[in-house]
Amino acid sequence: MAQVEATTERVIAADAEAVFDALADYSGTRAKLLPEHFSEYEVREGGDGEGTLVHWKLQATSKRVRDCLLEVTEPTDGELVEKDRNSSMVTTWRVTPAGEGKSRVVVTTVWDGAGGIGGFFEKTFAPKGLGRIYDLVLDRLTTETKK
């Protein structure tokens, strides 16, 4: 079983604190950021960053749907980590200043991939597909945090 990793990043013309606050607002803003690949969104505990428990289904392909129950932590300033209780998947959002009134958002998801030929295809194609999904999330985050 090989680890699979997908990373997407974007510089957004908004203050890092405002961008982080939007990402951490699971009870409000976060739901607005999710494209059609996400369904059954529900905040089960908390709702603002650390201590949040959030559920959604992620449909990465027409055949692949992941039922996610994510525990949210904030291990360092500007960092949200979403650990899936249902799998090995961990998504880390890092928001850092990137110049005057700008921020850099880096989202990285890692999980234990399948073995064999299925694992080869997963490691080859899943990061690209997830990258396209996170591009949509970052597009919406950009719109949501415009000054």
Side-chain angles (χ1 to χ4, degrees):
M1 222 181 329
Q3 192 169 67
V4 182
E5 180 176 318
T7 299
T8 305
E9 69 177 81
R10 172 92 47 99
V11 173
I12 294 177
D15 181 67
E17 188 174 329
V19 171
F20 181 83
D21 288 348
L23 283 170
D25 181 16
Y26 291 88
S27 61
T29 307
R30 183 57 84 92
K32 297 178 200 173
L33 304 179
L34 302 178
E36 63 280 356
H37 302 88
F38 295 85
S39 63
E40 298 183 29
Y41 183 89
E42 176 188 18
V43 175
R44 296 194 177 165
E45 292 175 19
D48 184 24
E50 178 92 27
T52 297
L53 183 65
V54 64
H55 171 267
W56 60 61
K57 287 192 177 175
L58 171 59
Q59 183 158 2
T61 68
S62 60
K63 295 178 183 176
R64 180 73 170 122
V65 178
R66 223 181 242 272
D67 188 354
C68 302
L69 183 59
L70 304 153
E71 295 177 355
V72 179
T73 59
E74 294 182 33
T76 63
D77 284 349
E79 186 176 63
L80 284 171
V81 177
E82 301 167 346
K83 291 184 181 176
D84 187 10
R85 286 185 179 175
N86 298 332
S87 74
S88 62
M89 189 171 72
V90 177
T91 299
T92 303
W93 297 84
R94 286 185 185 86
V95 181
T96 55
E100 186 67 34
K102 293 181 182 176
S103 56
R104 177 178 312 283
V105 180
V106 180
V107 55
T108 302
T109 300
V110 295
W111 68 95
D112 296 332
I117 191 73
F120 168 79
F121 284 106
E122 181 179 23
K123 193 170 180 83
T124 303
F125 297 108
K128 291 177 180 119
L130 197 53
R132 284 191 293 273
I133 292 169
Y134 282 131
D135 275 338
L136 295 171
V137 173
L138 292 172
D139 287 347
R140 291 176 181 205
L141 179 62
T142 300
T143 301
E144 195 66 33
T145 57
K146 276 187 182 173
K147 294 178 182 175

mmCIF file of all heavy atoms in Angstrom, residues 124-145:
data_model
loop_
_atom_site.group_PDB
_atom_site.id
_atom_site.type_symbol
_atom_site.label_atom_id
_atom_site.label_comp_id
_atom_site.label_asym_id
_atom_site.label_seq_id
_atom_site.Cartn_x
_atom_site.Cartn_y
_atom_site.Cartn_z
ATOM 1 N N THR A 124 -1.728 7.472 -9.788
ATOM 2 C CA THR A 124 -1.519 8.244 -11.004
ATOM 3 C C THR A 124 -2.619 9.277 -11.238
ATOM 4 O O THR A 124 -2.334 10.425 -11.581
ATOM 5 C CB THR A 124 -1.440 7.303 -12.230
ATOM 6 O OG1 THR A 124 -0.387 6.364 -12.000
ATOM 7 C CG2 THR A 124 -1.186 8.063 -13.511
ATOM 8 N N PHE A 125 -3.891 8.875 -11.049
ATOM 9 C CA PHE A 125 -5.003 9.741 -11.448
ATOM 10 C C PHE A 125 -5.733 10.445 -10.316
ATOM 11 O O PHE A 125 -6.259 11.534 -10.517
ATOM 12 C CB PHE A 125 -6.010 8.935 -12.280
ATOM 13 C CG PHE A 125 -5.412 8.431 -13.560
ATOM 14 C CD1 PHE A 125 -5.125 7.089 -13.727
ATOM 15 C CD2 PHE A 125 -5.089 9.303 -14.591
ATOM 16 C CE1 PHE A 125 -4.550 6.614 -14.895
ATOM 17 C CE2 PHE A 125 -4.508 8.843 -15.764
ATOM 18 C CZ PHE A 125 -4.243 7.493 -15.925
ATOM 19 N N ALA A 126 -5.771 9.859 -9.131
ATOM 20 C CA ALA A 126 -6.532 10.466 -8.027
ATOM 21 C C ALA A 126 -6.022 11.860 -7.649
ATOM 22 O O ALA A 126 -6.835 12.768 -7.436
ATOM 23 C CB ALA A 126 -6.561 9.543 -6.814
ATOM 24 N N PRO A 127 -4.705 12.083 -7.570
ATOM 25 C CA PRO A 127 -4.251 13.430 -7.219
ATOM 26 C C PRO A 127 -4.703 14.504 -8.211
ATOM 27 O O PRO A 127 -5.051 15.613 -7.808
ATOM 28 C CB PRO A 127 -2.724 13.296 -7.207
ATOM 29 C CG PRO A 127 -2.489 11.863 -6.853
ATOM 30 C CD PRO A 127 -3.590 11.121 -7.584
ATOM 31 N N LYS A 128 -4.737 14.161 -9.493
ATOM 32 C CA LYS A 128 -5.185 15.137 -10.500
ATOM 33 C C LYS A 128 -6.675 15.443 -10.320
ATOM 34 O O LYS A 128 -7.098 16.592 -10.395
ATOM 35 C CB LYS A 128 -4.915 14.609 -11.904
ATOM 36 C CG LYS A 128 -3.442 14.534 -12.238
ATOM 37 C CD LYS A 128 -3.208 13.948 -13.618
ATOM 38 C CE LYS A 128 -1.741 13.889 -13.917
ATOM 39 N NZ LYS A 128 -1.222 12.583 -14.156
ATOM 40 N N GLY A 129 -7.456 14.406 -10.097
ATOM 41 C CA GLY A 129 -8.891 14.603 -9.905
ATOM 42 C C GLY A 129 -9.193 15.405 -8.657
ATOM 43 O O GLY A 129 -10.016 16.330 -8.678
ATOM 44 N N LEU A 130 -8.514 15.078 -7.569
ATOM 45 C CA LEU A 130 -8.719 15.814 -6.329
ATOM 46 C C LEU A 130 -8.213 17.243 -6.475
ATOM 47 O O LEU A 130 -8.830 18.182 -5.952
ATOM 48 C CB LEU A 130 -8.013 15.100 -5.169
ATOM 49 C CG LEU A 130 -8.438 15.490 -3.771
ATOM 50 C CD1 LEU A 130 -9.954 15.393 -3.583
ATOM 51 C CD2 LEU A 130 -7.742 14.615 -2.747
ATOM 52 N N GLY A 131 -7.137 17.425 -7.215
ATOM 53 C CA GLY A 131 -6.629 18.768 -7.485
ATOM 54 C C GLY A 131 -7.660 19.627 -8.204
ATOM 55 O O GLY A 131 -7.840 20.806 -7.879
ATOM 56 N N ARG A 132 -8.365 19.049 -9.168
ATOM 57 C CA ARG A 132 -9.422 19.795 -9.878
ATOM 58 C C ARG A 132 -10.555 20.180 -8.925
ATOM 59 O O ARG A 132 -11.090 21.284 -9.005
ATOM 60 C CB ARG A 132 -9.964 18.975 -11.046
ATOM 61 C CG ARG A 132 -9.024 18.946 -12.249
ATOM 62 C CD ARG A 132 -9.687 18.348 -13.482
ATOM 63 N NE ARG A 132 -9.986 16.941 -13.325
ATOM 64 C CZ ARG A 132 -9.150 15.945 -13.597
ATOM 65 N NH1 ARG A 132 -7.944 16.214 -14.027
ATOM 66 N NH2 ARG A 132 -9.519 14.696 -13.446
ATOM 67 N N ILE A 133 -10.894 19.273 -8.018
ATOM 68 C CA ILE A 133 -11.949 19.565 -7.043
ATOM 69 C C ILE A 133 -11.507 20.705 -6.124
ATOM 70 O O ILE A 133 -12.260 21.654 -5.878
ATOM 71 C CB ILE A 133 -12.316 18.305 -6.232
ATOM 72 C CG1 ILE A 133 -12.996 17.280 -7.153
ATOM 73 C CG2 ILE A 133 -13.207 18.660 -5.042
ATOM 74 C CD1 ILE A 133 -13.179 15.903 -6.535
ATOM 75 N N TYR A 134 -10.267 20.641 -5.626
ATOM 76 C CA TYR A 134 -9.785 21.706 -4.746
ATOM 77 C C TYR A 134 -9.588 23.019 -5.485
ATOM 78 O O TYR A 134 -9.722 24.085 -4.871
ATOM 79 C CB TYR A 134 -8.516 21.276 -4.016
ATOM 80 C CG TYR A 134 -8.821 20.349 -2.864
ATOM 81 C CD1 TYR A 134 -8.144 19.158 -2.699
ATOM 82 C CD2 TYR A 134 -9.823 20.659 -1.944
ATOM 83 C CE1 TYR A 134 -8.435 18.296 -1.656
ATOM 84 C CE2 TYR A 134 -10.121 19.807 -0.893
ATOM 85 C CZ TYR A 134 -9.432 18.629 -0.757
ATOM 86 O OH TYR A 134 -9.727 17.787 0.277
ATOM 87 N N ASP A 135 -9.307 22.985 -6.783
ATOM 88 C CA ASP A 135 -9.280 24.231 -7.562
ATOM 89 C C ASP A 135 -10.642 24.922 -7.502
ATOM 90 O O ASP A 135 -10.724 26.143 -7.375
ATOM 91 C CB ASP A 135 -8.897 23.964 -9.028
ATOM 92 C CG ASP A 135 -7.394 23.927 -9.244
ATOM 93 O OD1 ASP A 135 -6.641 24.499 -8.427
ATOM 94 O OD2 ASP A 135 -6.972 23.316 -10.254
ATOM 95 N N LEU A 136 -11.714 24.137 -7.593
ATOM 96 C CA LEU A 136 -13.066 24.704 -7.497
ATOM 97 C C LEU A 136 -13.319 25.302 -6.116
ATOM 98 O O LEU A 136 -13.902 26.379 -5.988
ATOM 99 C CB LEU A 136 -14.123 23.637 -7.804
ATOM 100 C CG LEU A 136 -14.120 23.075 -9.219
ATOM 101 C CD1 LEU A 136 -15.070 21.878 -9.323
ATOM 102 C CD2 LEU A 136 -14.496 24.149 -10.228
ATOM 103 N N VAL A 137 -12.863 24.605 -5.076
ATOM 104 C CA VAL A 137 -13.011 25.130 -3.712
ATOM 105 C C VAL A 137 -12.240 26.439 -3.576
ATOM 106 O O VAL A 137 -12.762 27.426 -3.031
ATOM 107 C CB VAL A 137 -12.525 24.098 -2.666
ATOM 108 C CG1 VAL A 137 -12.513 24.709 -1.266
ATOM 109 C CG2 VAL A 137 -13.393 22.846 -2.693
ATOM 110 N N LEU A 138 -11.019 26.480 -4.094
ATOM 111 C CA LEU A 138 -10.208 27.691 -3.998
ATOM 112 C C LEU A 138 -10.779 28.832 -4.839
ATOM 113 O O LEU A 138 -10.671 29.996 -4.449
ATOM 114 C CB LEU A 138 -8.758 27.386 -4.370
ATOM 115 C CG LEU A 138 -8.026 26.480 -3.374
ATOM 116 C CD1 LEU A 138 -6.657 26.084 -3.923
ATOM 117 C CD2 LEU A 138 -7.901 27.121 -2.012
ATOM 118 N N ASP A 139 -11.401 28.526 -5.974
ATOM 119 C CA ASP A 139 -12.099 29.555 -6.754
ATOM 120 C C ASP A 139 -13.182 30.208 -5.894
ATOM 121 O O ASP A 139 -13.318 31.428 -5.847
ATOM 122 C CB ASP A 139 -12.775 28.960 -7.994
ATOM 123 C CG ASP A 139 -11.797 28.575 -9.095
ATOM 124 O OD1 ASP A 139 -10.607 28.983 -9.026
ATOM 125 O OD2 ASP A 139 -12.214 27.847 -10.021
ATOM 126 N N ARG A 140 -13.967 29.369 -5.215
ATOM 127 C CA ARG A 140 -15.056 29.877 -4.383
ATOM 128 C C ARG A 140 -14.529 30.613 -3.167
ATOM 129 O O ARG A 140 -15.103 31.615 -2.745
ATOM 130 C CB ARG A 140 -15.974 28.731 -3.970
ATOM 131 C CG ARG A 140 -16.751 28.172 -5.149
ATOM 132 C CD ARG A 140 -17.575 26.978 -4.776
ATOM 133 N NE ARG A 140 -18.275 26.486 -5.962
ATOM 134 C CZ ARG A 140 -19.384 25.802 -5.906
ATOM 135 N NH1 ARG A 140 -19.926 25.498 -4.747
ATOM 136 N NH2 ARG A 140 -19.967 25.386 -7.006
ATOM 137 N N LEU A 141 -13.413 30.141 -2.608
ATOM 138 C CA LEU A 141 -12.787 30.831 -1.482
ATOM 139 C C LEU A 141 -12.304 32.206 -1.909
ATOM 140 O O LEU A 141 -12.474 33.203 -1.174
ATOM 141 C CB LEU A 141 -11.619 29.995 -0.944
ATOM 142 C CG LEU A 141 -10.842 30.576 0.228
ATOM 143 C CD1 LEU A 141 -11.741 30.752 1.455
ATOM 144 C CD2 LEU A 141 -9.648 29.680 0.565
ATOM 145 N N THR A 142 -11.743 32.312 -3.096
ATOM 146 C CA THR A 142 -11.299 33.586 -3.640
ATOM 147 C C THR A 142 -12.472 34.554 -3.744
ATOM 148 O O THR A 142 -12.388 35.708 -3.318
ATOM 149 C CB THR A 142 -10.631 33.398 -5.016
ATOM 150 O OG1 THR A 142 -9.501 32.534 -4.862
ATOM 151 C CG2 THR A 142 -10.210 34.711 -5.632
ATOM 152 N N THR A 143 -13.576 34.090 -4.299
ATOM 153 C CA THR A 143 -14.778 34.916 -4.430
ATOM 154 C C THR A 143 -15.326 35.326 -3.065
ATOM 155 O O THR A 143 -15.698 36.482 -2.846
ATOM 156 C CB THR A 143 -15.861 34.158 -5.232
ATOM 157 O OG1 THR A 143 -15.325 33.844 -6.518
ATOM 158 C CG2 THR A 143 -17.124 34.972 -5.381
ATOM 159 N N GLU A 144 -15.358 34.406 -2.159
ATOM 160 C CA GLU A 144 -15.940 34.616 -0.827
ATOM 161 C C GLU A 144 -15.130 35.620 0.004
ATOM 162 O O GLU A 144 -15.685 36.312 0.846
ATOM 163 C CB GLU A 144 -16.036 33.275 -0.089
ATOM 164 C CG GLU A 144 -16.910 33.263 1.104
ATOM 165 C CD GLU A 144 -18.389 33.478 0.829
ATOM 166 O OE1 GLU A 144 -18.891 33.059 -0.233
ATOM 167 O OE2 GLU A 144 -19.054 34.069 1.696
ATOM 168 N N THR A 145 -13.817 35.700 -0.224
ATOM 169 C CA THR A 145 -12.960 36.557 0.610
ATOM 170 C C THR A 145 -12.536 37.843 -0.086
ATOM 171 O O THR A 145 -11.699 38.575 0.448
ATOM 172 C CB THR A 145 -11.709 35.782 1.068
ATOM 173 O OG1 THR A 145 -11.000 35.301 -0.074
ATOM 174 C CG2 THR A 145 -12.072 34.639 1.990
#
